[in-house]
């Protein structure tokens, strides 16, 4: 782990830029709703957190039809920040929902395999987020879409709290 203080907004912007052409290939609209000037200081392993954000955005692209809509937002909530990735894609049934963070769990095995999926992405993402003292939650409805929320602690006293 290489935990350093950094501005989450910059990381989110760079993930957004990386995903734009990929969403574009499926004619999906990818929107960054957060304020680019918002300062979100957190203690992070930048490469690993990037891996999480890209995993969640790529899932939205993968499991949303052509022409669908995906957004990424970041909102401060006291000493925490919520990163919210929403899509209006295939969604996940209530039955599958509690299991998607398990290792090797894929909702539609045949389809997932065809898309080159392993079912490991979210399990690893959850581990990385927990290592950052955060949490990751999902809400979804089949046929309507999915919303992933990552909650992370902010550094409130510059250069003191949260750095390991
Ligand atoms: P995979 O490599 O199969 O995408 P993940 O661990 O990233 O593995 O995701 C686990 C399963 O959760 C996926 O197989 C998929 O069925 C479901 N899933 C994840 N994100 C979404 C999403 N945004 N919309 C619909 N289903 C999703």
């Amino acid at each position: 782990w290489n935990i350093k203080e950094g501005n989450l907004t910059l990381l989110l912007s760079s993930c957004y830029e990386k995903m734009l052409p990929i969403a574009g290939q499926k004619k999906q609209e990818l929107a960054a709703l957060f304020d680019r000037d918002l300062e979100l200081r957190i203690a992070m392993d930048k490469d690993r957190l990037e891996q999480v954000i890209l995993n969640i955005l790529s899932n939205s692209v993968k499991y949303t039809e052509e022409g669908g809509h995906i957004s990424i937002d970041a909102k401060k909530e006291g000493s925490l920040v919520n990163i919210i990735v929403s899509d209006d894609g295939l969604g996940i049934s209530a039955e599958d929902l509690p299991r998607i963070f398990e290792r090797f769990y894929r909702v539609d095995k045949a389809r997932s395999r065809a898309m080159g999926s392993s079912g490991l992405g979210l399990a690893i993402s959850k581990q990385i987020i927990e290592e950052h003292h955060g949490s990751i939650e999902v809400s979804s409805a089949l046929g309507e879409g999915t919303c992933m929320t990552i909650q992370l602690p902010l550094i409130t006293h510059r250069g003191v709290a949260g750095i390991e």
Side-chain angles (χ1 to χ4, degrees):
W1 295 95
N2 178 23
I3 308 261
K4 291 201 176 108
E5 183 178 338
N7 186 358
L8 179 68
T9 308
L10 297 179
L11 182 67
L12 296 182
S13 298
S14 112
C15 290
Y16 167 73
E17 304 287 340
K18 283 186 185 168
M19 287 307 296
L20 263 184
I22 301 167
Q25 281 167 12
K26 284 184 81 177
K27 298 185 175 62
Q28 293 163 338
E29 184 200 314
L30 176 60
L33 306 178
F34 55 89
D35 174 4
R36 305 291 182 104
D37 298 323
L38 185 67
E39 172 102 341
L40 295 169
R41 304 227 61 94
I42 65 166
M44 60 177 164
D45 185 319
K46 203 162 149 267
D47 294 342
R48 296 205 178 170
L49 209 52
E50 174 176 61
Q51 185 187 336
V52 172
I53 310 291
L54 291 178
N55 171 233
I56 285 169
L57 284 171
S58 350
N59 276 346
S60 283
V61 169
K62 252 198 271 182
Y63 302 111
T64 297
E65 300 90 338
E66 287 223 348
H69 304 83
I70 301 162
S71 66
I72 179 163
D73 201 356
K75 286 179 188 158
K76 264 186 179 174
E77 190 190 313
S79 60
L80 301 166
V81 57
N82 289 311
I83 306 164
I84 304 144
V85 174
S86 298
D87 65 58
D88 59 358
L90 307 181
I92 304 163
S93 73
E95 186 194 340
D96 289 311
L97 205 53
R99 302 200 58 192
I100 61 162
F101 292 101
E102 288 174 18
R103 286 175 173 265
F104 307 115
Y105 193 79
R106 291 165 306 182
V107 172
D108 180 336
K109 309 231 169 356
R111 189 189 65 199
S112 300
R113 230 184 342 260
M115 289 198 258
S117 302
S118 62
L120 270 172
L122 286 177
I124 293 170
S125 291
K126 187 166 184 241
Q127 264 183 2
I128 295 174
I129 293 304
E130 285 172 354
E131 198 66 40
H132 285 78
H133 309 290
S135 60
I136 177 165
E137 273 173 23
V138 58
S139 65
S140 185
L142 203 56
E144 284 177 26
T146 301
C147 179
M148 290 274 176
T149 303
I150 300 171
Q151 193 166 71
L152 290 167
L154 287 165
I155 295 175
T156 43
H157 301 292
R158 212 185 138 71
V160 185
I163 298 181
E164 299 176 44

